[in-house]
Amino acid sequence: MDFQCPVCNKIMPYDLKLILSHSDEHVIEQIKIKKPGWVEQDGLCKRCHEYFKSQFPDRKG
Ligand SMILES: [Zn+2]
């Protein structure tokens, strides 16, 4: 089963889908700025998650 990442629009295996939790709140905020209409329940791929997380290398909690 494949999954289309709503952030980068790439098709990838369903295993690469992530649903973000509240601990990723700052990541969620950034994605919403880039992709209005996206909600965390839509999920995203690991690559996008790494990309957005890398915007906050030193931030904890
Ligand atoms: Zn993606």
Side-chain angles (χ1 to χ4, degrees):
M1 185 171 24
D2 287 343
F3 150 72
Q4 183 174 18
C5 174
V7 179
C8 63
N9 295 316
K10 289 190 178 135
I11 307 284
M12 59 195 66
Y14 209 79
D15 312 357
L16 295 180
K17 181 178 182 177
L18 289 178
I19 299 291
L20 300 181
S21 65
H22 288 298
S23 61
D24 283 316
E25 192 174 4
H26 52 287
V27 175
I28 292 169
E29 279 172 23
Q30 285 303 304
I31 299 169
K32 285 181 173 171
I33 290 167
K34 298 253 186 199
K35 282 273 161 184
W38 178 89
V39 292
E40 49 268 48
Q41 289 81 6
D42 289 344
L44 79 171
C45 70
K46 284 187 183 176
R47 190 174 292 180
C48 288
H49 184 231
E50 289 302 316
Y51 170 77
F52 283 102
K53 248 172 58 173
S54 73
Q55 312 290 303
F56 302 95
D58 299 315
R59 188 151 166 190
K60 302 256 194 296

